[in-house]
């Protein structure tokens, strides 16, 4: 009975998080980030790149955007005709700009971003536990067949197949979940891990890294009772994110934290 209770609890959480990951629509930038028709015509009719950059800079002056393109210009999506908020990217599959886009996941057939990143992490976690539980409960029957205590050939095939599938998915999910745990601890998205966000002072891979606890709270929220449930609790609205530079101004000790880490990594033994 205890085995069945635990199994169904994990199964319900697995299906619930999977459902939320699939059917939670990606969050798109608000109306104030869309440029007006007049600005759009002014931008498209201008052929000089430097003037186009000035037009975008004028439009974005009142918007809380701090990340830039590689050349230092305002990040603009010519397909959605909007100024991209920080950490926002255009998904070519969904054909929309997604707030804090992490990646487009074919397994959930949805964009993973600000609105459903917590659900996606919980889906990975409960999938991992689900596979581990199945493998652990089936393993004793595998041992019995191996030692010859049970001789039913048809059941033996089912047990071997179930154990193989559970272990295979467990190992695959372990690496994927571990990678995303590392991303959360550094407050990075998958896109930011491959290409560091660019600020006014240049690229900074730790531009949004506020420390482990605050990084965790940005994804899961401050109410710990909601952390393990697929209920929206992430901080903010996806348009603005606290930056390391602002925190360093309030707490200068943070400015040396990354330098200490780099020194510890780069220091060669004598």
């Amino acid at each position: 009975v205890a085995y069945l209770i635990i199994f169904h609890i994990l199964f319900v959480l697995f299906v619930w998080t999977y459902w939320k990951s699939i059917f939670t629509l990606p969050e798109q930038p608000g109306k104030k980030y869309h440029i007006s028709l007049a600005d759009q015509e002014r931008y498209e009719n201008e052929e000089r790149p430097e003037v186009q950059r000035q037009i975008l800079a004028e439009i974005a002056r009142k918007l809380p955007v701090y990340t830039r393109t590689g050349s230092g210009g305002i990040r603009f999506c010519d397909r959605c005709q909007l100024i991209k908020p920080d950490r926002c990217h255009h998904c070519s599959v969904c054909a929309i700009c997604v707030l804090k886009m992490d990646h487009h996941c074919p397994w959930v057939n949805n964009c993973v971003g600000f609105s459903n990143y917590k659900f996606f992490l919980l889906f990975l976690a409960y999938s991992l536990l689900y596979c581990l539980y199945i493998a652990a409960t089936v393993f004793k029957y595998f041992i019995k067949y191996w030692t010859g205590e049970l001789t039913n050939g048809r059941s033996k095939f089912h047990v071997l197949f179930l154990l193989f599938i559970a272990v295979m998915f467990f190992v695959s999910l372990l690496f994927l979940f571990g990678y995303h745990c590392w991303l959360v601890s550094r407050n990075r998205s998958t896109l930011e891990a491959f290409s560091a966000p660019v600020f006014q002072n240049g690229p900074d891979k730790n531009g949004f890294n506020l420390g482990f606890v605050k990084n965790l709270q940005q994804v899961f929220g401050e109410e710990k009772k909601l952390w393990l449930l697929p209920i929206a609790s992430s901080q903010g609205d996806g348009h603005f994110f606290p930056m390391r530079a602002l925190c360093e101004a309030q707490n200068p000790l943070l400015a040396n934290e990354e330098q200490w880490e780099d020194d510890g990594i780069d220091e060669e033994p004598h």
Side-chain angles (χ1 to χ4, degrees):
V1 176
Y3 282 138
L4 288 175
I5 293 175
I6 296 174
F7 173 84
H8 283 92
I9 290 175
L10 290 175
F11 179 73
V12 168
L13 290 171
F14 164 73
V15 173
W16 189 7
T17 53
Y18 188 48
W19 177 276
K20 294 286 285 187
S21 298
I22 294 175
F23 293 105
T24 301
L25 296 177
E27 197 77 24
Q28 300 182 56
K31 291 183 179 180
K32 67 178 183 179
Y33 290 87
H34 291 260
I35 64 174
S36 64
L37 290 176
D39 289 331
Q40 183 177 339
E41 290 180 3
R42 187 160 62 105
Y43 177 81
E44 292 178 349
N45 293 333
E46 181 57 57
E47 298 180 355
R48 293 169 293 178
E50 63 276 7
V51 179
Q52 287 184 326
R53 289 182 58 176
Q54 292 178 1
I55 294 174
L56 293 179
E58 292 176 5
I59 299 172
R61 186 174 298 170
K62 296 182 180 180
L63 298 174
V65 290
Y66 299 93
T67 53
R68 298 290 185 264
T69 62
S71 60
I74 298 296
R75 299 169 64 242
F76 175 70
C77 180
D78 55 357
R79 285 163 287 189
C80 298
Q81 293 295 309
L82 56 81
I83 304 294
K84 292 181 182 178
D86 293 342
R87 316 185 81 174
C88 173
H89 297 275
H90 186 88
C91 177
S92 58
V93 179
C94 298
I96 58 173
C97 282
V98 180
L99 294 178
K100 196 189 176 185
M101 179 177 173
D102 187 88
H103 68 287
H104 186 91
C105 181
W107 298 105
V108 299
N109 193 29
N110 196 6
C111 242
V112 177
F114 174 78
S115 61
N116 63 348
Y117 187 60
K118 175 191 174 184
F119 308 148
F120 178 75
L121 284 175
L122 291 178
F123 164 64
L124 293 180
Y126 289 126
S127 300
L128 196 68
L129 292 175
Y130 189 53
C131 291
L132 178 62
Y133 185 76
I134 291 176
T137 52
V138 169
F139 186 71
K140 65 177 182 179
Y141 296 102
F142 170 76
I143 295 298
K144 289 183 178 181
Y145 280 122
W146 188 267
T147 57
E149 294 183 32
L150 297 176
T151 57
N152 191 326
R154 184 176 300 177
S155 299
K156 183 176 182 179
F157 172 77
H158 292 161
V159 168
L160 288 174
F161 180 77
L162 185 59
L163 180 64
F164 173 76
I165 294 297
V167 171
M168 182 183 67
F169 275 99
F170 172 79
V171 173
S172 301
L173 289 168
L174 184 62
F175 285 103
L176 182 59
F177 180 65
Y179 176 67
H180 277 280
C181 286
W182 179 79
L183 290 177
V184 171
S185 70
R186 298 302 180 101
N187 204 345
R188 298 177 196 168
S189 66
T190 300
L191 293 175
E192 292 167 351
F194 285 97
S195 179
V198 180
F199 297 87
Q200 293 180 358
N201 296 327
D204 184 2
K205 63 180 181 180
N206 292 301
F208 298 104
N209 189 353
L210 307 176
F212 179 76
V213 175
K214 290 186 178 180
N215 294 343
L216 202 64
Q217 289 176 345
Q218 277 205 1
V219 177
F220 293 96
E222 296 182 359
E223 294 188 45
K224 295 183 179 179
K225 61 182 179 181
L226 299 178
W227 281 12
L228 300 180
L229 296 176
I231 299 174
S233 60
S234 300
Q235 291 181 340
D237 61 359
H239 292 84
F240 171 78
F241 297 90
M243 292 172 292
R244 186 181 182 89
L246 298 179
C247 293
E248 287 175 356
Q250 300 174 356
N251 185 3
L253 290 176
L254 288 176
N256 296 325
E257 180 180 336
E258 185 62 28
Q259 182 63 40
W260 295 337
E261 292 179 0
D262 292 340
D263 290 345
I265 295 173
D266 297 335
E267 184 178 356
E268 297 181 359
H270 297 289

